[in-house]
Amino acid sequence: MNGIPIGSIGTGKIEFFPDLTIDNVTIMNNWSNPRRSIRGFHIVKDGIFLQTNPGKNIENPPEYRKVKKIISKEKFPIITYEIPEVNTTVTVFSIINKSLKDSSLPAIVFHVKGEGVFAISFPNLVGSRREGRENYAIKRKINGVLFTNEKALQQDPAYGNMFLGCIGCKVFAGYSYLRPSRKGMTEDITPLLELRESDYYKIEPYAREEIAGIVWKEVHGEEKFILSWYFNGRPYNYPYGHYYENWFNNSYEVAEYVLLNDLKPELEDEDSWINEVYRDGLYVLTYSWLTKDGRFAVYEDPEVTLLMNTIGTMTYDAVSFALLELYPDLVKKMDEYFGLFLRNGEVPHDLGEESIESPIYGASSNYPWTDLASTWVLMMYRDYKFTNDLDFLKRNYEKMKEAIDYLLSLDKDKDCIPDSKGGLDNSYDGTYMFGASSYVASMFLCALRAFISASKILGKDSSNYEDCLRKGMETYNSLFNGKYFIAWKSSNTKKESCMSSQLLGQFWCELLSLEPIADEEKIISALKSIYELNYKASKYCLVNSVNPDGSIDTETDQMRSCWSRVAFAVSAHMILKGLKEEGLEIAKREWETIKSLGVWNQSSRIDAITGKKVGLPYYIGSVSPWFIKYAIKLVNSVRNEAQ
């Protein structure tokens, strides 16, 4: 089970659980290696622990006076705890708004409502080893505990400092909370009950301690406490520094900025399941990097691949759609940065394995992928379309042309569709496709439309590409079997399964207001077939590939799976094409399945037969529900204009 990850862009996160405990901490440049079994964190009111299991990581817990019931409500990046028996509410949040500076602050706010003395303790986690940890009382505009480590070196991911405090707090700088007992290690909770002040505490040489600090305040109504951090080392796994280093010198300065400016999350907050699925999908931002020089990247997943900004089939390409609304300059910068790594027009799969400077071309060497360059061209045209930045389009036009020409070089049979040559040459990994694939063809044709549009905007000749577009559309339309576009067809064989991604390129064209790549009636027919076949074949999710008889295609694990990121795109496409009821039905069931499997660890795949999550954990694709929100907005806009 995972708690809701509370953190901001590039800062790491702390997971908060329904019982108001924490775990899986990644604030110390350790996204792929969480610190687990955290002890020493408590919130106490008048001697009563506001946690139902305060000793969950203690071998022999002491006798806590604790609450019996907590009602929690989560919506990223916020969790609210209602504790009726002590008439108290605790809301925990990080800052996500339209300011990139504010949305990359390494801080978590605890907003308490109630009457009484509230105390919060937190452990010193500075330095990968305990030796050298020191706690200092700070009494300035904000009072609190500064956590440091005099022995930590800059190569240590946990080099830096942390701060816990509030305006007007009283401070107990530190104590050793883990103690031996007759039945194993226990926790010393005396300081949380006595609440006396002290200014300094350190782990003495040769001692093996876990130490924490405490802040407390008498509250009449409400108060905000804050935990902030500042891990500015340059470890081997992350030598880039943090964006927050441009404005702050330590964690105290971060805390002062957040509290004195009364910062809070500012995301759309309507009471609907659509807003819920969109907001909660943004949790993957806590698995992101934002470097000191402003480069941004998200893990494809932080445990297995460790690849950054993977594109294709609505991975980083979906994340960047959502972020364009919030941080357009950041998205344009990173999409343009991708272009630096074009290799004779071939676009990389990602920016590297825990790196943003060592891209990988396809997931396997020597297997050029046929969908990545199309994806990148569409991303570049999208960035222009959504921001009206003509200079951006001018700067990147030649790179876009290079990518299109590379894709045409893969077209050996001259049907103006990049040839599929078997497995390992597109985002479906080991799934074999040959000749013209409906997924690959749709992506290429829309990318070609985008490039031709860019050419006309810039006054460039695109006649040769227009001829190819017409021929490629003929090839694509030849895949239509009267109901949908079949998976693929080569000169001597074909596969007639119905794939959920057969219209993915056309969906891009809809979003970018480009002309269609197929006749309207064929598009509607294919969407209806996806509903009848791919949706109805599983009781859990939208299946990647379904046979003509309605059975699930079990040729490969990818085919028998559901990619929720594509399901939400298909749902949005249906909404745009007037099939709103079917689209929302697909999306809502997908979301219910995701919730049953765990919102805060959405996998890359769901097995359509068993309904279990499989594939890569904490997957980058969770942001794709943004498409549903955007599709509804577009439809409503058109309706309002018509009125």
Side-chain angles (χ1 to χ4, degrees):
M1 178 183 174
N2 288 89
I4 179 174
I6 303 294
S8 300
I9 297 174
T11 67
K13 51 77 181 170
I14 298 174
E15 291 186 17
F16 283 78
F17 291 80
D19 61 0
L20 224 176
T21 60
I22 63 171
D23 219 335
N24 302 323
V25 176
T26 62
I27 63 176
M28 298 87 70
N29 301 309
N30 61 324
W31 296 271
S32 59
N33 185 29
R35 187 81 66 86
R36 296 189 169 94
S37 298
I38 302 299
R39 296 179 284 261
F41 165 69
H42 297 292
I43 302 181
V44 178
K45 177 189 173 186
D46 296 331
I48 300 173
F49 285 75
L50 305 184
Q51 298 159 303
T52 54
N53 188 16
K56 87 173 177 182
N57 293 320
I58 302 297
E59 184 180 6
N60 180 31
E63 292 292 327
Y64 304 96
R65 288 180 63 207
K66 61 185 181 180
V67 296
K68 296 177 182 178
K69 182 180 180 181
I70 297 176
I71 303 166
S72 65
K73 183 178 181 181
E74 306 166 355
K75 184 183 282 189
F76 182 81
I78 303 168
I79 182 167
T80 299
Y81 300 92
E82 296 283 351
I83 313 172
E85 66 190 89
V86 290
N87 196 26
T88 295
T89 301
V90 179
T91 302
V92 183
F93 62 84
S94 53
I95 313 299
I96 302 285
N97 57 31
K98 289 192 174 183
S99 163
L100 186 59
K101 173 186 175 181
D102 291 353
S103 300
S104 59
L105 292 170
I108 292 173
V109 176
F110 301 85
H111 185 193
V112 302
K113 291 183 179 180
E115 300 284 334
V117 176
F118 286 82
I120 300 182
S121 65
F122 205 86
N124 183 334
L125 301 177
V126 181
S128 295
R129 295 178 179 174
R130 303 173 191 176
E131 180 186 12
R133 288 178 180 166
E134 296 180 290
N135 299 355
Y136 297 87
I138 300 289
K139 296 180 180 179
R140 300 177 188 170
K141 293 180 180 179
I142 298 173
N143 296 346
V145 184
L146 182 69
F147 303 100
T148 67
N149 189 319
E150 65 177 354
K151 296 288 188 180
L153 302 177
Q154 274 223 331
Q155 303 96 305
D156 184 347
Y159 173 88
N161 53 81
M162 301 170 61
F163 179 81
L164 174 69
C166 78
I167 297 172
C169 282
K170 294 184 178 180
V171 183
F172 183 63
Y175 66 107
S176 178
Y177 56 81
L178 201 60
R179 300 288 190 182
S181 71
R182 289 189 178 186
K183 296 182 180 180
M185 300 301 288
T186 191
E187 181 179 19
D188 180 7
I189 58 174
T190 304
L192 278 160
L193 304 178
E194 294 181 347
L195 296 180
R196 54 188 173 81
E197 294 191 80
S198 70
D199 293 331
Y200 176 74
Y201 192 89
K202 71 174 293 186
I203 296 178
E204 296 295 337
Y206 316 117
R208 187 173 184 268
E209 295 181 299
E210 293 184 16
I211 64 174
I214 303 171
V215 297
W216 71 94
K217 187 175 183 178
E218 186 168 345
V219 177
H220 300 285
E222 57 187 280
E223 185 62 62
K224 289 181 179 177
F225 296 79
I226 190 167
L227 175 73
S228 57
W229 57 93
Y230 193 92
F231 289 104
N232 60 325
R234 295 297 186 268
Y236 76 93
N237 65 310
Y238 185 75
Y240 305 109
H242 290 278
Y243 198 58
Y244 57 71
E245 293 177 41
N246 291 299
W247 291 280
F248 307 102
N249 295 303
N250 54 58
S251 56
Y252 172 81
E253 291 183 5
V254 173
E256 186 178 277
Y257 176 78
V258 172
L259 288 187
L260 297 185
N261 288 284
D262 194 24
L263 297 180
K264 55 181 69 71
E266 295 176 5
L267 293 169
E268 294 179 32
D269 193 29
E270 64 183 46
D271 186 18
S272 70
W273 71 267
I274 294 173
N275 183 257
E276 177 188 22
V277 64
Y278 158 65
R279 284 275 297 268
D280 288 352
L282 291 173
Y283 85 95
V284 293
L285 295 180
T286 66
Y287 295 95
S288 68
W289 292 357
L290 185 58
T291 65
K292 187 175 182 180
D293 61 6
R295 289 178 289 173
F296 170 76
V298 183
Y299 281 88
E300 180 179 0
D301 81 277
E303 288 190 359
V304 181
T305 68
L306 308 183
L307 300 175
M308 310 303 296
N309 278 11
T310 294
I311 65 170
T313 57
M314 299 306 177
T315 47
Y316 177 70
D317 30 319
V319 173
S320 54
F321 258 108
L323 292 184
L324 263 175
E325 276 193 332
L326 300 171
Y327 322 110
D329 290 340
L330 179 67
V331 172
K332 287 189 295 182
K333 176 176 182 174
M334 290 315 298
D335 292 349
E336 192 166 9
Y337 182 73
F338 233 92
L340 298 177
F341 300 105
L342 263 64
R343 185 174 64 178
N344 298 319
E346 183 181 4
V347 173
H349 170 268
D350 53 73
L351 293 178
E353 185 178 352
E354 276 200 309
S355 171
I356 51 176
E357 295 163 345
S358 302
I360 296 171
Y361 294 82
S364 303
S365 179
N366 299 320
Y367 289 90
W369 282 26
T370 53
D371 56 338
L372 301 180
S374 296
T375 301
W376 182 75
V377 169
L378 288 167
M379 290 165 65
M380 300 304 283
Y381 185 77
R382 172 205 62 190
D383 294 353
Y384 157 72
K385 189 77 175 178
F386 279 42
T387 65
N388 294 312
D389 188 342
L390 188 60
D391 288 336
F392 176 85
L393 190 65
K394 288 177 180 177
R395 283 199 310 272
N396 292 285
Y397 176 80
E398 290 301 324
K399 289 281 189 179
M400 293 166 68
K401 182 178 184 298
E402 188 180 339
I404 291 291
D405 289 343
Y406 163 76
L407 289 168
L408 288 172
S409 75
L410 301 179
D411 174 29
K412 304 303 182 184
D413 59 8
K414 302 305 178 186
D415 62 356
C416 281
I417 298 296
D419 297 345
S420 294
K421 295 184 177 180
L424 306 175
D425 66 354
N426 62 58
S427 294
Y428 288 92
D429 297 331
T431 299
Y432 280 76
M433 301 180 189
F434 296 93
S437 151
S438 57
Y439 159 63
V440 172
S442 73
M443 291 296 294
F444 173 69
L445 292 172
C446 189
L448 198 52
R449 278 216 180 276
F451 176 69
I452 291 169
S453 177
S455 300
K456 291 179 178 179
I457 291 167
L458 299 177
K460 307 282 188 180
D461 178 41
S462 60
S463 54
N464 290 340
Y465 298 99
E466 292 175 46
D467 291 341
C468 187
L469 174 64
R470 285 188 286 272
K471 189 171 184 179
M473 287 175 62
E474 290 176 6
T475 304
Y476 180 58
N477 279 277
S478 74
L479 298 175
F480 192 74
N481 68 357
K483 294 182 178 180
Y484 58 85
F485 298 89
I486 66 172
W488 54 262
K489 179 178 69 174
S490 66
S491 58
N492 55 7
T493 186
K494 62 183 177 180
K495 181 167 183 176
E496 298 201 55
S497 63
C498 180
M499 291 187 66
S500 61
S501 61
Q502 62 186 274
L503 291 168
L504 199 58
Q506 175 57 34
F507 177 55
W508 275 90
C509 282
E510 303 278 357
L511 295 174
L512 303 181
S513 301
L514 292 166
E515 291 294 314
I517 58 172
D519 297 334
E520 181 75 1
E521 59 269 23
K522 291 179 180 176
I523 295 169
I524 298 298
S525 176
L527 287 172
K528 288 181 176 179
S529 294
I530 291 171
Y531 176 80
E532 291 296 328
L533 293 172
N534 302 68
Y535 174 67
K536 293 185 177 180
S538 169
K539 62 182 180 179
Y540 303 107
C541 49
L542 189 74
V543 189
N544 280 351
S545 182
V546 174
N547 297 314
D549 63 2
S551 62
I552 294 173
D553 179 1
T554 58
E555 181 181 353
T556 67
D557 286 344
Q558 296 287 10
M559 292 297 95
R560 67 175 278 169
S561 297
C562 308
W563 288 358
S564 296
R565 60 192 187 274
V566 171
F568 289 121
V570 170
S571 169
H573 197 180
M574 289 181 176
I575 292 168
L576 290 173
K577 302 308 288 184
L579 303 172
K580 183 176 181 179
E581 184 177 332
E582 293 90 338
L584 290 178
E585 190 178 342
I586 287 171
K588 193 163 189 178
R589 187 185 69 176
E590 201 83 20
W591 179 234
E592 291 302 320
T593 298
I594 289 170
K595 286 205 296 185
S596 72
L597 296 172
V599 172
W600 311 121
N601 180 5
Q602 297 183 34
S603 60
S604 59
R605 297 187 283 121
I606 298 171
D607 188 291
I609 297 172
T610 67
K612 295 181 178 179
K613 59 183 176 184
V614 290
L616 304 174
Y618 309 100
Y619 201 65
I620 190 174
S622 68
V623 185
S624 64
W626 176 88
F627 292 120
I628 302 168
K629 182 176 76 78
Y630 186 67
I632 293 173
K633 178 181 176 181
L634 285 180
V635 169
N636 290 341
S637 175
V638 170
R639 184 183 297 119
N640 291 337
E641 288 178 5
Q643 294 173 350

